[in-house]
Amino acid sequence: MSGYSLFRIALSTKCNATTLFCRSNVLNRQQTYGYAKKVGAKGKGKGMVKEELKGPEVCKDPVRLASYAVGVNILKEGEDPKLKPPEEYPEWLFQLNLEKPKDLHDMESNTWEYWKRLRKENILRFNRLHKGKKF
């Protein structure tokens, strides 16, 4: 068997003082475990400097922000797409509600949106209450 296996078999040898030779007894085998050594945690030492994560670069050029959709390109190569005039976009795009959603007490109680929102808020409340509990 190779020395890199999980179990290595070490033969126990018995030497008798009256005999001049040592014999290895195959019947008395011992298993020794060859586990790998634990690797120490990297960066946990006293002298190590903690690396700070850097976010994406923020574009502050007003001309570029007005003419390109900055941050839309997710590929490594290529560039951000150029913005088209508003006439080329569909009409529904400008009718999207980008405001904060309505509060529950401002909605009508007999609508589908009200009950969907009520269920979502109850699920979030339940999850917040049971977050730190152990079972």
Short mmCIF file of all heavy atoms in Angstrom, two decimals, residues 3 6 24 50-52 58 68 71 86-87 98 111 117 128-130 133:
data_model
loop_
_atom_site.label_atom_id
_atom_site.label_comp_id
_atom_site.label_asym_id
_atom_site.label_seq_id
_atom_site.Cartn_x
_atom_site.Cartn_y
_atom_site.Cartn_z
N GLY A 3 2.07 5.15 0.84
CA GLY A 3 2.17 5.93 2.07
C GLY A 3 1.18 7.08 2.13
O GLY A 3 1.04 7.74 3.14
N LEU A 6 -5.33 6.69 3.30
CA LEU A 6 -5.89 7.09 4.58
C LEU A 6 -5.49 6.14 5.68
O LEU A 6 -5.19 6.54 6.80
CB LEU A 6 -7.41 7.17 4.46
CG LEU A 6 -8.16 7.68 5.66
CD1 LEU A 6 -7.74 9.11 5.98
CD2 LEU A 6 -9.64 7.61 5.44
N SER A 24 8.49 -10.64 11.80
CA SER A 24 7.33 -9.77 11.72
C SER A 24 6.09 -10.64 11.68
O SER A 24 6.00 -11.59 10.91
CB SER A 24 7.41 -8.87 10.50
OG SER A 24 7.38 -9.67 9.34
N LYS A 50 -5.14 43.75 7.03
CA LYS A 50 -6.39 43.31 6.43
C LYS A 50 -6.61 44.06 5.12
O LYS A 50 -6.52 45.29 5.07
CB LYS A 50 -7.55 43.60 7.39
CG LYS A 50 -8.84 42.97 6.97
CD LYS A 50 -9.88 43.13 8.04
CE LYS A 50 -11.14 42.42 7.66
NZ LYS A 50 -12.17 42.57 8.68
N GLU A 51 -6.90 43.31 4.07
CA GLU A 51 -7.13 43.92 2.76
C GLU A 51 -8.55 44.46 2.68
O GLU A 51 -9.49 43.79 3.10
CB GLU A 51 -6.92 42.88 1.65
CG GLU A 51 -5.50 42.38 1.55
CD GLU A 51 -5.36 41.38 0.44
OE1 GLU A 51 -6.23 41.33 -0.45
OE2 GLU A 51 -4.38 40.64 0.44
N GLU A 52 -8.69 45.66 2.16
CA GLU A 52 -10.01 46.25 2.02
C GLU A 52 -10.52 45.97 0.61
O GLU A 52 -9.78 46.06 -0.37
CB GLU A 52 -9.94 47.75 2.26
CG GLU A 52 -9.57 48.10 3.69
CD GLU A 52 -9.60 49.60 3.92
OE1 GLU A 52 -10.24 50.32 3.14
OE2 GLU A 52 -8.96 50.03 4.88
N VAL A 58 -16.81 54.75 -9.83
CA VAL A 58 -18.00 55.57 -10.05
C VAL A 58 -17.67 56.63 -11.10
O VAL A 58 -16.70 57.37 -10.97
CB VAL A 58 -18.45 56.24 -8.73
CG1 VAL A 58 -19.67 57.11 -8.97
CG2 VAL A 58 -18.73 55.18 -7.68
N TYR A 68 -24.66 57.78 -22.13
CA TYR A 68 -24.47 56.33 -22.07
C TYR A 68 -25.21 55.76 -20.86
O TYR A 68 -25.38 56.44 -19.84
CB TYR A 68 -22.99 55.97 -21.94
CG TYR A 68 -22.20 56.21 -23.20
CD1 TYR A 68 -21.53 57.41 -23.41
CD2 TYR A 68 -22.11 55.24 -24.18
CE1 TYR A 68 -20.82 57.64 -24.56
CE2 TYR A 68 -21.39 55.45 -25.33
CZ TYR A 68 -20.75 56.64 -25.52
OH TYR A 68 -20.03 56.86 -26.67
N GLY A 71 -22.80 51.38 -16.43
CA GLY A 71 -22.96 50.25 -15.52
C GLY A 71 -23.84 49.14 -16.04
O GLY A 71 -24.07 48.15 -15.36
N PRO A 86 -35.77 59.60 -26.54
CA PRO A 86 -36.97 59.06 -25.87
C PRO A 86 -38.05 58.55 -26.81
O PRO A 86 -38.87 57.71 -26.42
CB PRO A 86 -37.50 60.26 -25.06
CG PRO A 86 -36.39 61.22 -24.97
CD PRO A 86 -35.48 60.96 -26.12
N GLU A 87 -38.09 59.01 -28.05
CA GLU A 87 -39.11 58.55 -28.99
C GLU A 87 -38.93 57.09 -29.38
O GLU A 87 -39.87 56.43 -29.81
CB GLU A 87 -39.09 59.41 -30.27
CG GLU A 87 -39.41 60.88 -30.05
CD GLU A 87 -38.19 61.67 -29.63
OE1 GLU A 87 -37.07 61.34 -30.06
OE2 GLU A 87 -38.37 62.63 -28.85
N LEU A 98 -41.95 54.39 -10.12
CA LEU A 98 -40.64 54.27 -9.50
C LEU A 98 -40.63 54.85 -8.09
O LEU A 98 -39.58 54.96 -7.47
CB LEU A 98 -39.59 54.98 -10.36
CG LEU A 98 -39.45 54.45 -11.78
CD1 LEU A 98 -38.44 55.28 -12.55
CD2 LEU A 98 -39.05 52.99 -11.78
N THR A 111 -58.85 44.70 -2.27
CA THR A 111 -58.12 44.51 -3.52
C THR A 111 -57.11 43.38 -3.37
O THR A 111 -56.70 43.02 -2.27
CB THR A 111 -57.38 45.81 -3.93
OG1 THR A 111 -56.47 46.15 -2.89
CG2 THR A 111 -58.34 46.95 -4.17
N ARG A 117 -49.79 42.21 -0.31
CA ARG A 117 -48.89 43.00 0.52
C ARG A 117 -49.00 42.62 1.99
O ARG A 117 -47.99 42.56 2.71
CB ARG A 117 -49.21 44.48 0.31
CG ARG A 117 -48.35 45.42 1.07
CD ARG A 117 -46.95 45.44 0.45
NE ARG A 117 -46.09 46.29 1.19
CZ ARG A 117 -45.87 47.57 0.91
NH1 ARG A 117 -46.47 48.12 -0.11
NH2 ARG A 117 -45.06 48.26 1.66
N ARG A 128 -38.49 37.98 11.03
CA ARG A 128 -37.73 38.84 11.94
C ARG A 128 -37.84 38.36 13.38
O ARG A 128 -36.88 38.38 14.13
CB ARG A 128 -38.23 40.28 11.84
CG ARG A 128 -37.27 41.17 11.10
CD ARG A 128 -37.72 42.62 11.13
NE ARG A 128 -38.60 42.88 10.00
CZ ARG A 128 -39.88 43.26 10.11
NH1 ARG A 128 -40.42 43.46 11.27
NH2 ARG A 128 -40.61 43.47 9.04
N LEU A 129 -39.04 37.92 13.78
CA LEU A 129 -39.25 37.47 15.16
C LEU A 129 -38.52 36.17 15.46
O LEU A 129 -38.03 35.95 16.55
CB LEU A 129 -40.74 37.28 15.44
CG LEU A 129 -41.56 38.57 15.53
CD1 LEU A 129 -43.03 38.23 15.64
CD2 LEU A 129 -41.11 39.39 16.71
N HIS A 130 -38.44 35.29 14.48
CA HIS A 130 -37.84 33.96 14.69
C HIS A 130 -36.41 33.87 14.19
O HIS A 130 -35.88 32.77 14.04
CB HIS A 130 -38.71 32.89 14.03
CG HIS A 130 -40.05 32.77 14.66
ND1 HIS A 130 -40.25 32.12 15.85
CD2 HIS A 130 -41.26 33.23 14.29
CE1 HIS A 130 -41.51 32.18 16.17
NE2 HIS A 130 -42.16 32.86 15.23
N LYS A 133 -33.98 32.62 17.18
CA LYS A 133 -34.45 31.52 18.02
C LYS A 133 -33.86 30.20 17.57
O LYS A 133 -33.72 29.93 16.39
CB LYS A 133 -35.97 31.43 18.00
CG LYS A 133 -36.64 32.58 18.68
CD LYS A 133 -38.13 32.35 18.77
CE LYS A 133 -38.78 33.50 19.51
NZ LYS A 133 -40.22 33.31 19.61
#
